[in-house]
Amino acid sequence: MMTRRTMKQITYSVLLALFLMVACTSPSTSQVQQISNQDLVELMENEDLQLIDVRTPEEVADGFIKGAINIDFRGADFESKIGAMDRNKPIAVYCGAGIRSGGASELLLELGFQDIYDLSEGFSQWKEDSQPIEMTK
């Protein structure tokens, strides 16, 4: 049978262990940065940037941002393809209007990517602002 003193010792030991676990864990500084068209233009000057278009291939056929890799967010292989990208390089994602890229950004966070940028208004705003686009061949 346990005494009160033994129970207190166990309680204090557990609390101390929890405190040390929390205190020794470095907080994650990763977060998704919402960016504008101009921000993306500046980011594209970084040759390490991984630019991902998460729209469907049919949407991409109507144009895309130069240098973008198409990985369909709704595709069955999205997670494996996006997971194969370099986690140590900055990554920017965009979709048509900013909804799917938000979901993709959250997944990137979960997969351990650090520098994540989301084109907040998507390709439609990029095109509306007369930014340069590429067409599939």
Side-chain angles (χ1 to χ4, degrees):
M1 186 164 162
M2 293 186 154
T3 65
R4 283 185 184 237
R5 183 173 182 206
T6 305
M7 289 297 292
K8 282 184 181 179
Q9 288 175 329
I10 291 172
T11 302
Y12 289 135
S13 296
V14 169
L15 290 174
L16 179 62
L18 288 171
F19 172 78
L20 290 174
M21 285 175 37
V22 171
C24 294
T25 303
S26 60
S28 172
T29 57
S30 296
Q31 64 181 17
V32 176
Q33 297 178 52
Q34 298 294 317
I35 60 171
S36 67
N37 288 341
Q38 186 56 43
D39 295 330
L40 181 57
V41 169
E42 292 171 15
L43 278 171
M44 289 169 63
E45 294 174 8
N46 179 348
E47 60 189 49
D48 284 342
L49 180 70
Q50 303 170 98
L51 181 58
I52 309 298
D53 183 334
V54 299
R55 298 176 300 149
T56 66
E58 294 78 22
E59 290 172 295
V60 173
D62 290 332
F64 60 94
I65 299 173
K66 183 178 182 177
I69 298 167
N70 179 230
I71 305 176
D72 183 357
F73 182 64
R74 295 184 181 133
D77 57 354
F78 178 78
E79 190 169 343
S80 65
K81 284 185 176 180
I82 205 81
M85 304 303 293
D86 190 336
R87 287 167 174 74
N88 298 313
K89 292 183 179 180
I91 190 165
V93 294
Y94 72 91
C95 63
I99 306 298
R100 287 171 284 177
S101 62
S105 295
E106 292 301 317
L107 180 59
L108 288 166
L109 273 174
E110 290 174 19
L111 292 173
F113 286 82
Q114 296 296 311
D115 297 320
I116 306 165
Y117 303 92
D118 181 356
L119 185 61
S120 59
E121 295 181 338
F123 184 75
S124 59
Q125 188 64 48
W126 179 270
K127 196 171 178 179
E128 188 175 309
D129 289 348
S130 300
Q131 296 289 344
I133 63 169
E134 298 281 314
M135 300 301 289
T136 56
K137 296 175 180 161

